[in-house]
Amino acid sequence: AECILTVASSSNDKPDRSDTAQDPSRAFLVLLIGLTLVMNTLGRGVTETFAVFLLPVEKALGATRSEISATYSIYMIVNGFAAPFAGQLIDRLGARATYGAGLILLGSAYVLGSYAETLWHYYLTVGVLSGLGAACLGMVVASSLLSRWFTRGMGTKFAIPHAAVGAGMLIIPPFTQDLMEFMSWRGAHQVVGFVILALLPVVMMLPLNRMSAGSSEWQALRAKVGASGTPVWTVGQALRTWAFWALFGVYFFTSVAAYAVLPQSVAFLVERGFDPLVAAGAFGMTGALSAVGIVSDGWFSDRFGRRNAVVISKISTLTGILSLLAMAWFPNIALLYAFVIFFGIMQGARGPIITVMVAILFRGGSIGAIYGTLSMAMGFGASFGSWGSGLLHDLTGDYVASFTFAAIASVTGLACYAGSRNLRREEPADRPS
């Protein structure tokens, strides 16, 4: 991991002033990227344990599949609504307040969730509190911090924290599944929660104030924009551009596709006759591959264009979804490998591209707040995808309609990207009149 961070920090370009203006030490920049990776890993990995907890919690609380799936939908809705506030928090108060709040909220959510006896209690803890905590640990905060220090090779550098999708899924859900071999789901919940809370004092010892300050070049750019009479990009201005809403559509439909599959995949594989540990392992392996795919796609997008990277990633994702869908009729290991490889390697691969496009479209603006507002698309899309997939399962008795729904959403997301001139050409957004 240290090697990857060092390579990503240097990229193929020599660092410019924005990389070294306030602290020429490369170690500081590696620490910054590493911190965003670890925080994102916790925010994504812990909340993705829902796929492992789904069946035992469903049984313990006497819920239907759609009722228990609503927990994940609530989490994603709250996460989406909380993202703009996380953006405001990092822009105004810095990383110390934002990361501190995230660790406390997410850790408390899992400790308190272990005592749930009713659905509403589980909704409140694992749904609401987790959504708030994950928003304060995720890419909204990472994008704001990284955009203050880097201006070149952003696809590669922004891909590192996005790789947390893979790192978190590789480590935390399988670890949680192993815990439940020796203890109840309630005990596993408590272990996860207390581990997160124990990280709080460690994170608070890091130079978070300095990371939040940004490079002198970043500060000079904001001052120059303000002095020129051109208003700094705000959320309100961004909302009045077509480019923002095109990016919103990409994020929304991509999330619908991903989360119509992810929360249901372990349960689907178990129902098709796979051992629970094999199913959880496959889920984790998609995460392992996604870490490689995200970084590779970020590098590819820097050199060959983000449009080409989006098209290739969409084709791979669609192939993976169709492979999973085929297992409804032909549950075999070859199709499982195809799903893990094609879906896994491009899982989350559009994330760095979307993040970089925000920095390009609205350069010098309130990136944290703008990206946080845009992230509502992910929350809405993931919530709709997760809930819709569970509902279609309950209505039809299988996952054929659910995964077909995911495939259609994936194609629609690509259409939104192709339909925007600013996204296709990587041009700054046109300022509203």
Side-chain angles (χ1 to χ4, degrees):
E2 181 179 353
C3 179
I4 292 174
L5 289 174
T6 303
V7 171
S9 178
S10 60
S11 188
N12 281 347
D13 301 318
K14 294 181 180 179
D16 59 12
R17 284 189 61 212
S18 66
D19 292 338
T20 60
Q22 289 195 349
D23 191 336
S25 170
R26 189 171 300 279
F28 173 81
L29 299 175
V30 172
L31 178 63
L32 171 62
I33 297 174
L35 176 64
T36 60
L37 171 63
V38 171
M39 293 296 99
N40 230 19
T41 297
L42 288 175
R44 290 303 304 271
V46 170
T47 53
E48 293 302 335
T49 60
F50 176 79
V52 174
F53 283 121
L54 189 152
L55 292 179
V57 175
E58 176 185 273
K59 181 178 179 181
L61 300 184
T64 66
R65 185 63 50 83
S66 59
E67 286 175 339
I68 196 63
S69 295
T71 306
Y72 199 86
S73 297
I74 292 170
Y75 150 69
M76 291 308 306
I77 288 175
V78 173
N79 185 270
F81 275 115
F85 298 101
Q88 294 285 351
L89 195 61
I90 182 64
D91 285 345
R92 297 185 180 186
L93 299 182
R96 188 173 303 280
T98 311
Y99 279 148
L103 290 171
I104 292 172
L105 287 166
L106 187 59
S108 299
Y110 275 75
V111 172
L112 296 174
S114 69
Y115 297 100
E117 296 291 346
T118 61
L119 268 174
W120 74 264
H121 186 177
Y122 204 68
Y123 288 164
L124 180 62
T125 54
V126 178
V128 176
L129 290 183
S130 289
L132 294 172
C136 292
L137 299 177
M139 274 309 302
V140 171
V141 180
S143 65
S144 180
L145 289 176
L146 295 179
S147 66
R148 302 176 190 193
W149 290 94
F150 299 102
T151 58
R152 295 190 298 184
M154 290 191 296
T156 304
K157 295 180 178 76
F158 279 46
I160 297 295
H162 268 290
V165 174
M169 290 175 62
L170 172 65
I171 298 170
I172 302 177
F175 168 72
T176 305
Q177 183 69 60
D178 287 339
L179 281 178
M180 289 196 291
E181 294 293 313
F182 304 99
M183 62 181 67
S184 68
W185 68 267
R186 297 182 188 276
H189 252 273
Q190 292 179 6
V191 170
V192 171
F194 282 123
V195 167
I196 296 169
L197 292 173
L199 292 174
L200 179 63
V202 177
V203 173
M204 292 299 103
M205 293 173 62
L206 299 177
L208 299 177
N209 292 341
R210 191 165 199 175
M211 293 177 181
S212 302
S215 69
S216 60
E217 183 173 336
W218 177 79
Q219 295 174 13
L221 173 64
R222 289 176 64 88
K224 181 179 179 181
V225 170
S228 68
T230 302
V232 174
W233 279 106
T234 64
V235 173
Q237 285 189 320
L239 288 172
R240 299 201 300 274
T241 66
W242 286 111
F244 177 91
W245 290 107
L247 206 55
F248 191 96
V250 174
Y251 218 170
F252 175 81
F253 286 107
T254 297
S255 297
V256 169
Y259 290 95
V261 172
L262 280 174
Q264 309 293 340
S265 59
V266 174
F268 169 73
L269 292 173
V270 171
E271 290 178 352
R272 300 312 299 162
F274 290 91
D275 182 87
L277 283 176
V278 172
F283 184 83
M285 186 55 66
T286 62
L289 289 174
S290 81
V292 176
I294 288 171
V295 174
S296 299
D297 208 43
W299 173 87
F300 184 91
S301 70
D302 279 339
R303 284 150 183 79
F304 303 104
R306 277 162 258 284
R307 179 179 59 184
N308 294 331
V310 168
V311 171
I312 291 173
S313 70
K314 285 290 186 180
I315 292 173
S316 180
T317 296
L318 190 59
T319 302
I321 293 173
L322 294 178
S323 298
L324 188 66
L325 178 60
M327 277 191 277
W329 300 281
F330 309 105
N332 60 69
I333 199 69
L335 287 173
L336 179 58
Y337 281 140
F339 163 67
V340 169
I341 292 171
F342 288 105
F343 185 88
I345 202 162
M346 288 302 166
Q347 184 185 170
R350 276 75 54 176
I353 296 173
I354 291 172
T355 308
V356 170
M357 288 308 303
V358 172
I360 291 174
L361 293 172
F362 310 109
R363 178 68 179 159
S366 301
I367 300 300
I370 294 173
Y371 183 68
T373 303
L374 180 68
S375 295
M376 294 176 68
M378 178 184 175
F380 295 155
S383 175
F384 181 60
S386 174
W387 172 80
S389 185
L391 178 62
L392 288 171
H393 173 274
D394 285 350
L395 293 175
T396 62
D398 58 39
Y399 281 106
V400 173
S402 300
F403 297 154
T404 301
F405 166 61
I408 293 171
S410 183
V411 174
T412 306
L414 177 59
C416 290
Y417 195 97
S420 169
R421 172 180 56 82
N422 294 98
L423 298 186
R424 290 196 313 271
R425 300 180 181 178
E426 299 184 34
E427 296 176 347
D430 302 319
R431 286 191 175 271
S433 56

